[in-house]
Amino acid sequence: MDILVVGSGVAGPAVAHFLTRQGHDVTVVERAPSLRSGGYKVDVRGAAATVLHRMGVYDQAKAADTGMRRITYVNRHGKGFAELPADLIMGRRDDDLEVMRGDLGRILHDAAGAAFVFGDAIAELHDGPDAVDVTFAGGRTGRYDLVVAADGLHSATRRLAFGEQPLAHLGGYISIFTMPNTLGIDHEEVMFSEPGRLTFAYARGPAEPMHVGMIFAGPAGHERRDGKRLVADAFAGGGWRTGEFLSAMEGADDFYFDSLSQVEAPRWSSGRVVLLGDAAHCPAPSSGQGTSLALVGAYVLADSLASHPVPEAFAAYEERMRPYVAKNMEFGRKMVKDMVPGGRLAIAFRNYGMRTLKFHPKKEQVIEKVLAPLREAANAVTL
Ligand SMILES: Cc1cc2nc3c(=O)[nH]c(=O)nc-3n(C[C@H](O)[C@H](O)[C@H](O)COP(=O)(O)OP(=O)(O)OC[C@H]3O[C@@H](n4cnc5c(N)ncnc54)[C@H](O)[C@@H]3O)c2cc1C
C-alpha cells in the first residue's frame, strides 16, 4: 500500500518503520522544517521497551539514556532541602529507559526507512471508497491507500477527517526549552515549586545544555502561539532562578508549549484514516506515559494491518489498545494533578514528604505502592 503518515514525533517514525518493513511505501510528512529536537526527558516503560527491541533500536536508545542520578528540591533561594537518589524515586524496572525526547525522535527517524517530507502539512483530505486524496499546504497532491494521523495532541488530520477535537483540559500548561547549563548540574534534576507554578531543570553534565521545564496552572483557552508571553506572565516575580530562565526562554529556538490536556477520541478510525499516538489518546504532556503509548500503538497498528484487511485491521488495533490506553490515561490524570502545584499548604505538605522520605524506614515500600499502578498500566498489553 501507499501510506501517508502525518507527523514525525514518536508515533510517526515508529509506525513508518514497521510498515516499511512489511513492504509498504511509506511517506512521512512533518510540518516542522526539520526534525524537532526539543523536549524534556521522556520515559519508555514496560511494553514500550519491547517495541524498541523489536525495532532493533533498543541498544541505541539505552546508550542515549539520561543516566539521571538524583533529584534535588530547592527553596526560593536555591537552597536544596531534599535530595533523592534517582533509583529510589524513578522505580525503573527491567528494560525501562529515560531518554531526551529529541534523542528518541532522532533514533526513530533514522530507523524508519521511509521517505520524509519536512516543512509541509495536509491542507485538505478527501476519503473516498478506493483511496484518500490529499492536498498539501505546499500545493502538492497525493493519493494514498491509508493515512495515519500521528500529528499529536492538536492533530489537524483528526479535525479534517473526524471534524472534532476531543480535548479535556487538566488545568495547566507546560513549556520546555534548552539553555546553557548555568546551574552546573550533572545528571541531576532540580525542582522548585511555588503556588500554581513548577520549574524543573536537567542536564547530563556541567558542559551539556540544560533542559528547563515550566508548568503553571491555568484555565482552558490559552493559544499555543502566545506560549512565551503566557509563561513570562505566569512566572513573573518567581523565586529561585526564574528571572534568568525567563530571559533564556526568550531566545530559545526549541521552545515547546502546550496545554496539559488529554485526548479522548471516541473512535480512532474513519474510512481509510486512522489515529495514532497522542492524536488518538494523549494522556497529557508530562503524564509520563505518552511516549510509551505512542510506541506501543505504532507496533499494534502495524501488526493489525499485517494480519487483517482494512477496516478490520483498525477495529483489531483499537480493540487491543483500548484497555491499555484506559489504564494509562487514568494514571496520566493523577500524574498531572500531582505535577501542577496547588497552594502554599499543599506545597509545604509535599515538601515535608520529600524531605522526610529518605529517613522513612520503609521508603522502598512507600515508593513501590505509589508506582504499582504505573507498572501495571505500562504492561497492560500483550505484544
Ligand atoms: C517538540 C516537542 C517536545 C515535546 N516535549 C515533551 C516533553 O518534554 N514531555 C512530554 O511529556 N511530552 C513532550 N512532547 C509530547 C510527546 O512527545 C508526546 O506526548 C508523545 O511522545 C507521543 O508522540 P506523538 O508522536 O503521538 O506526538 P508528538 O511527539 O507530539 O509528535 C507530533 C508531530 O506531528 C507534527 N505535526 C503537528 N501538526 C502537524 C501537521 N498538521 N502536519 C504535519 N505534522 C504535524 C509535530 O510537529 C510533531 O513533530 C513533546 C512534543 C513535541 C512535538
Side-chain angles (χ1 to χ4, degrees):
M1 291 190 282
D2 272 321
I3 301 179
L4 177 69
V5 174
V6 188
S8 184
V10 171
V15 78
H17 167 93
F18 288 115
L19 293 173
T20 304
R21 229 162 73 174
Q22 288 170 16
H24 302 297
D25 279 327
V26 182
T27 303
V28 183
V29 63
E30 162 61 48
R31 190 175 52 184
S34 58
L35 207 55
R36 297 179 69 176
S37 61
Y40 203 64
K41 305 181 274 135
V42 292
D43 295 293
V44 177
R45 287 196 186 94
T50 305
V51 174
L52 293 188
H53 277 294
R54 294 197 187 168
M55 285 182 76
V57 298
Y58 181 82
D59 290 344
Q60 248 176 295
K62 191 165 175 58
D65 190 280
T66 57
M68 177 158 111
R69 292 190 306 214
R70 64 171 175 267
I71 302 185
T72 303
Y73 296 82
V74 297
N75 66 16
R76 63 176 294 111
H77 307 293
K79 189 170 170 351
F81 61 82
E83 195 182 287
L84 295 171
D87 52 0
L88 172 67
I89 204 81
M90 299 306 288
R92 288 219 217 148
R93 287 291 180 280
D94 310 318
D95 283 349
D96 292 358
L97 293 177
E98 184 186 68
V99 190
M100 297 314 298
R101 186 196 174 277
D103 290 343
L104 183 64
R106 165 66 59 193
I107 290 168
L108 298 173
H109 165 271
D110 292 353
F116 281 79
V117 177
F118 286 95
D120 210 348
I122 290 190
E124 279 174 44
L125 181 152
H126 175 71
D127 188 5
D130 305 318
V132 192
D133 289 303
V134 171
T135 305
F136 294 92
R140 282 184 314 118
T141 56
R143 172 164 267 232
Y144 300 93
D145 297 298
L146 296 182
V147 172
V148 180
D151 46 352
L153 178 55
H154 304 275
S155 172
T157 315
R158 185 180 60 214
R159 183 166 30 76
L160 289 172
F162 296 72
E164 59 201 27
Q165 289 296 41
L167 296 183
H169 186 68
L170 300 185
Y173 293 83
I174 180 169
S175 65
I176 308 280
F177 54 92
T178 306
M179 63 177 278
N181 185 357
T182 51
L183 298 180
I185 46 180
D186 181 3
H187 294 92
E188 176 181 5
E189 181 164 44
V190 185
M191 291 213 163
F192 169 59
S193 306
E194 289 176 294
R197 314 188 275 206
L198 172 69
T199 305
F200 42 96
Y202 185 78
R204 276 179 294 190
E208 293 290 316
M210 186 164 74
H211 305 275
V212 176
M214 300 179 98
I215 286 181
F216 63 94
H222 289 324
E223 294 288 341
R224 279 182 298 153
R225 61 172 175 268
D226 298 330
K228 285 189 179 176
R229 182 185 57 74
L230 291 163
V231 175
D233 288 351
F235 283 85
W240 188 36
R241 310 278 279 257
T242 299
E244 179 188 328
F245 292 168
L246 291 179
S247 301
M249 175 189 77
E250 288 305 329
D253 57 9
D254 65 348
F255 180 73
Y256 163 78
F257 179 82
D258 219 322
S259 63
L260 298 176
S261 299
Q262 288 197 325
V263 170
E264 294 199 39
R267 55 208 168 105
W268 294 349
S269 66
S270 164
R272 294 170 172 274
V273 181
V274 62
L275 305 179
L276 180 67
D278 275 3
H281 45 62
C282 178
S286 91
S287 68
Q289 279 300 83
T291 298
S292 293
L293 291 185
L295 287 169
V296 170
Y299 178 86
V300 173
L301 175 60
D303 194 42
S304 303
L305 282 165
S307 46
H308 300 80
V310 173
E312 287 82 356
F314 292 161
Y317 153 66
E318 199 164 330
E319 195 181 309
R320 280 171 74 184
M321 286 293 289
R322 281 280 181 190
Y324 165 67
V325 165
K327 280 202 160 69
N328 285 283
M329 296 285 269
E330 189 186 330
F331 189 82
R333 281 189 288 277
K334 189 186 166 316
M335 276 292 281
V336 169
K337 200 161 159 251
D338 289 350
M339 278 195 97
V340 181
R344 281 189 201 290
L345 199 63
I347 292 175
F349 185 69
R350 191 170 61 182
N351 288 352
Y352 175 78
M354 292 305 172
R355 223 183 347 248
T356 51
L357 182 64
K358 71 174 172 189
F359 306 112
H360 198 295
K362 293 188 176 163
K363 52 184 175 294
E364 281 81 13
Q365 286 97 315
V366 172
I367 301 271
E368 188 68 32
K369 202 168 161 207
V370 173
L371 292 178
L374 171 61
R375 248 192 307 279
E376 194 202 320
N379 289 291
V381 62
T382 306
L383 298 182

